[in-house]
């Protein structure tokens, strides 16, 4: 396979043209049409239409990810700032867009992996930033927020967009948006399994875990996802390539839908939830509804996977979920992307998801009250 | 009808024997057997087997409820103490069994109906009390509590037991217990729609509402239930006789299952719950599960009834439910009788009640935490 790849690499300029077109033209009909106008021999053409396509694609991916890719972190909350700073420490040029960090000149990171202080380049708006090779989106997935306006200014043509976000259908949403644009980013998804707190604008504490799973929206771009996962590994981040991103998304959604949700409803970290038989069973019943939604699109999450999710949570150290942290700090919670989106998918497919719906309605109520309290509080201040 | 009743009353002694037997012998076969041994003419017998049975029964009921029945209130929380004191103010001899009130000599009641102070006779244990004609049970329906031990000492043979409690299957539970005893009380159910707070051991504030609906477990005892409802009315209590107690219990359960539950889960009084479209809809979905359980025993609660329940709650003044008051005071909540019991009934009949189950599991968690907190707190004190 590697031999094929290296021999294929000899036709470098032709390939680049071919593969750039290939990324631009998604439908087969478009692709066929495009080749008609390209000067290439029949045999050359056949190479790409058969097995060697993969190797060729890998070659493209290499060409898309430079040795020292520039990185932009959009929405440098605790997660974005931490992973961004790890990449920066590895030697990559990283720029951060974050309202909180806008005036920050130095970032202090404490982590079981490494503790360090770094000078950082922060911006309040992505308009002021240069386009980057790798754009990491780590904003909260909140329904009122238009992420595309934030991301577009820092995207290079055919650049890489890595969505380090919760929930499901995020990559699809970005893909739908950029389908009509000339930017055509390669869309990757990242799943962060971590516990990181922002202590202040200048300080991030990474408490535990930290694995990032990376996959591609279109499996043909898997080689690139693998490369980005390797880049993360090289930068000292626990990282893993996932060949089936959507499946991985569903697996994470199982956990988030159950434990993020219950942690807020019960005002508790994971430990008492999973050690109480009734609420542990409740978490399984919530997961079963996500399982049913996934099954409707042929992603089979076995009952053993669900049980394993519960068992692993039992073995974990007591963990305060991101949603509970948000709730306690009076910040909006990611209810829509974790519960609202699977509920909409279930509705389309006529699957009953009473637990998800009930949790959603209760949490929305909490969320609205927090917002009202905040408003009243800020009015009193002014 | 009244003519029939008065003419039938002439055979008084025979009747009493007949009707006492009738109350004792529940099944028709037993009853038939019993008549065989009784000396009565064929025509006399026929009277009771036909229409006049009702009038005869009413006659019995009159004889069972004396003009000035003595009253025992078992578990004089806010509700028991309030209604007990209203009966006492009307002139009936009332004794109270309550741990809180044990040393109380005078009770102060503030109510939109009337405000007054009364000397009260309180006991810490029902063992110290005289048997009463009318025993009002207003203890919380908590699973760890054995109510029969509390009630038995104050029961007269064939006396009246009025269960002023929440939930479903209460009357049935008492009936099952006393089936084997010689006491054979007439079991009535009372549904209190009220908002009463205990301010101190000596003071009760009745805030709003106050209707008591009274019905009999066995419809043949309806005339007695009607009489007790009249007694309450005469004592100045808003009161109503319900011919179908079980149906009324289900109707109250609709409200309790939805709003007691949600008020604790959302830490809110009724107003924000019903004015938010999502949680209002959630309350309807909870009610629909109670509706399904009721339907399984042929009690039809229409969708209009459910909607009406919601609409009436919208029109009500903001109301803090008893469960929320209990939760806030760190007292155990009536989760089992309001949610656990219908869940068990649904399980037997294979009806899905995910909302009830989820609410149940969440509230049990809250309840257990309160208990643990209380224990820790009292340990710290000692």
């Amino acid at each position: 396979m590697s031999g094929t790849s290296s021999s294929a690499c000899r036709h470098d300029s032709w390939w680049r043209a071919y593969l750039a077109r290939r990324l631009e033209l998604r439908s087969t009909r478009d692709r066929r049409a495009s080749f008609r106008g390209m000067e290439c021999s029949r045999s050359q053409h056949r190479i790409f239409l058969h097995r060697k396509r993969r190797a060729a694609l890998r070659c493209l991916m290499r060409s898309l990810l430079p040795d020292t890719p520039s990185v932009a972190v959009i929405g440098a909350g605790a997660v974005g700032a931490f992973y961004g700073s790890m990449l920066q420490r590895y030697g990559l040029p990283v720029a951060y867009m974050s309202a909180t960090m806008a005036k920050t000149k130095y970032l202090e990171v404490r982590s079981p992996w490494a503790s360090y202080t770094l000078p950082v380049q922060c911006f309040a708006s992505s308009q002021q930033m240069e386009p980057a090779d790798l754009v990491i989106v780590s904003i909260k997935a909140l329904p009122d927020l238009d992420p595309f306006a934030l991301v577009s200014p820092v995207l290079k043509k055919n650049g890489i967009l890595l969505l380090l976000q919760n929930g499901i259908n995020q990559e699809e949403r970005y893909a739908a948006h950029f389908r009509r644009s000339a930017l055509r980013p390669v869309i990757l998804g990242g799943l962060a399994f971590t516990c990181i707190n922002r202590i202040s604008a200048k300080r991030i504490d990474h408490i535990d875990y930290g694995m990032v799973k990376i996959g591609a929206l279109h499996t043909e771009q898997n080689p690139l996802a693998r490369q980005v996962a390797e880049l993360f590994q090289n930068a000292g981040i626990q990282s893993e390539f996932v060949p089936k991103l959507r499946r991985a998304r569903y697996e994470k959604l199982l956990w988030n839908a159950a434990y993020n949700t219950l942690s807020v409803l019960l005002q508790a970290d994971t430990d008492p939830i999973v050690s109480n038989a009734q609420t542990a069973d409740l978490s399984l019943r919530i997961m079963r509804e996500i399982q049913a939604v996934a099954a409707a699109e042929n992603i089979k999450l076995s009952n053993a996977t669900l049980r394993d999710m519960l068992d692993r949570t039992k073995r974990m150290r007591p963990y305060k979920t991101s949603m509970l942290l948000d709730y306690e700090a009076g910040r909006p919670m990611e209810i829509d992307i974790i519960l609202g989106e699977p509920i909409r998918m279930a509705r389309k497919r006529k699957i009953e998801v009473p637990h998800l719906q009930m949790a959603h309605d209760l949490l929305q109520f909490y969320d609205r009250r927090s917002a009202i309290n905040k408003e009243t509080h800020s009015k009193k201040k002014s």
Side-chain angles (χ1 to χ4, degrees), chain A residues 302-316:
Chain A
S302 68
N303 287 334
T305 309
L306 270 59
R307 269 236 81 86
D308 183 57
M309 196 70 78
L310 172 61
D311 290 340
R312 266 191 291 150
T313 312
K314 276 183 187 169
R315 286 194 304 272
M316 250 165 57

Side-chain angles (χ1 to χ4, degrees), chain A residues 101 103-108 117-120 122 201-203:
Chain A
M101 281 171 68
K103 287 178 186 167
T104 309
K105 302 281 175 215
Y106 285 87
L107 185 68
E108 189 189 343
T117 303
L118 282 176
V120 284
C122 300
K202 290 179 184 176
R203 196 178 133 195

Side-chain angles (χ1 to χ4, degrees), chain A residues 13 26 33 60 113 146 163 193 220 229 234 247-248 261 267 286 295 334 365 381:
Chain A
S13 63
R26 285 281 144 76
L60 164 77
W113 295 350
D146 173 21
L163 305 178
F193 298 82
E220 58 190 19
N234 295 340
R247 190 191 167 78
T261 297
Q267 308 278 302
I286 294 175
E334 293 185 306
F365 187 96
K381 261 190 179 172

